[in-house]
Amino acid sequence: MKRFFQTIKNIFSIEDLRVRILNTIGFLIIFRLGSFIVLPGIDPNLLDPERNSSGILGYLNNFLGGAFNNASIFALGIMPYISASIIVQLLSFAVPYFQKLQKEGDSGRKRLNQYTRVLTIFITVFQGYSYLKGAIDPVVIINPGTFFYISSVVILIAGTMFCMWLGERITDKGIGNGISMLIMIGIVSRLPLALVSEVTDKFPGKAIFFIIELFVLFAIVVAVIALTQATRRIPIQYAKQVIGNKLYGGKRDFIPLKLNSAGVMPIIFAQALMFFPALIAGIWRDSDVGAYIGSTFSDPYSWQYSLLFAIMILIFTFFYTAITINSNDIADNLKRNGGFVPGVKPGKQTAEFIDTVLSRITLPGAIFLAAIAVLPAFAVTAGVGQNFAQFFGGTSLLILVGVVLDTLQQIESYLLMRHYEGMMKSGRVKGRSQFAAA
């Protein structure tokens, strides 16, 4: 305990780190406050907190920290931006023009960000109208009409763009990935209510079952951390060079390839796309197509939803790994710096070797990721309450663990740069050993 308080003291003794942490907290508070500001033209006293408490819309409401059910200006949160990012990244993978932009460095990334923002607006128009027509009870609208829908869609666009701006500010001025941080804080805000609801439901008659739930949850969290931290190290050797009268090089190192190199992004991407069927069903709820889609894919605990969700996670894991790790670039950098993988020729064969290793570790990582993602459906089947079951794996737990570990890694790097002891002596956060070696 003494060491814990000493670590906290060290964290706040570094001015830059202290400012970043306080900035992050401030931006997250603003984000949470916006979740309770109701759209103009809606009577907050008539809002039914249980209207979207089940099915995919209830899942979406928990994912957005209650903003969806509150009919707030942040009702869509950052989800349209994530959908736009998915589309732009797919284009960067398939369309030559976008591939060229991706290789142009900062200028290309800025252009891609502009396209993403513009596409976010168009997606928010579609999702905003779907939300107003399908998820909002017409009774709560004070004066329904064309002006209400147009003004509300504009406000939802502004809310989404403001959330995107907050995420960028957290990334630039705070700790970690701002977009992931906003998603995480929405999930965390629902955890106390879910826990209280589960305790109320299980006590006193099913107290033993609740204790078993906690043990199972702990085991799942440990498994998710192991998945997030697991690394395959490819050994590399640097050739010796004689410069003048001195000998350089000859050192050994390694290339760390994570079992799950894509992190939480495949989960976020897949989850963003899984919200579309419910919104489409809301627009055409009176038609046979809308009714079929609504009954089939609006329940996040149905086998159809779980199967489609798992398949999308598998696809996005391979896709995101392919666009984030370029084996050819790694091989070229090694060759330029006089490095090589023992037993493998530099250049093309090294790139093929790295690609083979990456494919072999990505497959079990993707399967494990998909299995963790659909665990809440099995938890509900076993008798766990729906709200609490969301934390038995799924998007909620994976994002929580991923973002928390990433934040700890950021803080740890600041501490190590200032020659302070890191966050933990054992069970180190990934990246600490690399930092120390550097």
Side-chain angles (χ1 to χ4, degrees):
M1 185 61 69
K2 180 181 178 181
R3 186 175 179 276
F4 172 77
F5 287 111
Q6 182 61 42
T7 301
I8 299 298
K9 181 181 178 181
N10 292 340
I11 289 174
F12 283 91
S13 66
I14 302 174
E15 183 179 359
D16 186 25
L17 181 58
R18 181 176 65 250
V19 170
R20 286 181 174 274
I21 291 176
L22 294 177
N23 286 342
T24 301
I25 294 174
F27 289 133
L28 292 178
I29 291 174
I30 294 172
F31 175 70
R32 287 303 301 153
L33 290 175
S35 300
F36 297 95
I37 301 176
V38 181
L39 286 168
I42 290 180
D43 188 348
N45 297 319
L46 298 179
L47 288 172
D48 181 9
E50 301 299 326
R51 174 174 169 79
N52 299 313
S53 60
S54 61
I56 185 62
L57 294 183
Y59 194 83
L60 177 58
N61 179 59
N62 291 331
F63 200 70
L64 295 172
F68 192 86
N69 244 16
N70 293 338
S72 79
I73 58 175
F74 292 168
L76 299 180
I78 206 70
M79 302 311 295
Y81 174 73
I82 295 174
S83 301
S85 299
I86 295 172
I87 296 174
V88 171
Q89 291 198 16
L90 287 172
L91 293 175
S92 301
F93 188 74
V95 179
Y97 172 72
F98 287 91
Q99 291 178 348
K100 181 181 177 182
L101 289 178
Q102 196 174 36
K103 296 178 180 179
E104 289 181 355
D106 291 338
S107 61
R109 281 193 292 270
K110 289 180 180 178
R111 182 66 63 85
L112 288 174
N113 287 337
Q114 291 175 354
Y115 286 133
T116 303
R117 290 186 177 95
V118 173
L119 186 58
T120 299
I121 295 176
F122 286 103
I123 292 176
T124 309
V125 171
F126 169 74
Q127 292 188 356
Y129 181 74
S130 303
Y131 168 71
L132 295 171
K133 294 292 290 185
I136 298 294
D137 190 343
V139 177
V140 306
I141 303 175
I142 298 174
N143 186 18
T146 304
F147 178 77
F148 167 78
Y149 288 104
I150 294 177
S151 61
S152 296
V153 168
V154 171
I155 293 172
L156 289 173
I157 293 173
T160 294
M161 300 305 289
F162 185 74
C163 290
M164 185 177 68
W165 180 84
L166 283 176
E168 293 175 350
R169 295 287 71 76
I170 293 175
T171 302
D172 295 337
K173 305 294 184 180
I175 298 291
N177 188 321
I179 302 300
S180 299
M181 193 76 72
L182 293 181
I183 297 174
M184 183 203 70
I185 199 64
I187 296 171
V188 169
S189 67
R190 310 301 293 177
L191 179 57
L193 293 176
L195 185 59
V196 170
S197 175
E198 190 69 12
V199 170
T200 304
D201 181 59
K202 295 297 187 294
F203 277 87
K206 300 180 180 178
I208 297 178
F209 185 78
F210 178 74
I211 295 174
I212 294 174
E213 288 180 15
L214 294 181
F215 276 108
V216 172
L217 179 59
F218 176 77
I220 293 174
V221 171
V222 172
V224 172
I225 293 175
L227 168 67
T228 306
Q229 298 287 79
T231 303
R232 165 70 159 87
R233 295 183 176 186
I234 298 179
I236 56 175
Q237 177 76 40
Y238 286 94
K240 296 180 180 180
Q241 296 179 352
V242 178
I243 302 177
N245 296 325
K246 294 184 178 181
L247 184 65
Y248 294 92
K251 67 176 183 178
R252 293 179 178 272
D253 208 337
F254 61 87
I255 302 173
L257 296 178
K258 286 189 174 183
L259 183 66
N260 178 27
S261 300
V264 298
M265 295 311 296
I267 300 290
I268 296 176
F269 284 177
Q271 191 67 75
L273 293 183
M274 291 302 294
F275 292 141
F276 274 101
L279 295 175
I280 294 174
I283 298 177
W284 293 292
R285 54 188 170 187
D286 296 329
S287 65
D288 294 337
V289 175
Y292 174 77
I293 294 175
S295 60
T296 305
F297 295 105
S298 292
D299 182 8
Y301 306 107
S302 65
W303 71 266
Q304 296 97 332
Y305 181 96
S306 298
L307 179 61
L308 180 60
F309 190 35
I311 292 173
M312 292 181 65
I313 290 173
L314 291 173
I315 294 173
F316 277 120
T317 300
F318 277 95
F319 166 74
Y320 202 80
T321 301
I323 66 175
T324 53
I325 300 179
N326 191 319
S327 57
N328 291 320
D329 289 344
I330 296 175
D332 291 340
N333 290 332
L334 284 176
K335 189 175 182 180
R336 282 196 298 266
N337 293 306
F340 61 93
V341 178
V344 181
K345 290 183 178 180
K348 183 179 179 181
Q349 290 190 15
T350 298
E352 292 176 351
F353 175 78
I354 294 174
D355 189 62
T356 300
V357 173
L358 190 62
S359 299
R360 288 177 178 175
I361 65 175
T362 299
L363 178 59
I367 294 174
F368 191 25
L369 194 66
I372 293 293
V374 299
L375 272 180
F378 293 96
V380 170
T381 303
V384 181
Q386 288 192 5
N387 291 333
F388 194 53
Q390 295 178 17
F391 298 95
F392 276 72
T395 310
S396 301
L397 183 60
L398 287 163
I399 291 177
L400 283 176
V401 171
V403 174
V404 168
L405 289 176
D406 182 63
T407 304
L408 290 177
Q409 180 180 338
Q410 296 286 336
I411 296 174
E412 181 124 336
S413 65
Y414 275 94
L415 292 174
L416 293 173
M417 280 192 296
R418 299 302 181 93
H419 306 291
Y420 286 113
E421 179 64 28
M423 300 290 288
M424 293 173 286
K425 289 184 178 179
S426 61
R428 293 175 176 176
V429 180
K430 185 63 66 181
R432 178 177 175 184
S433 57
Q434 302 167 26
F435 220 89

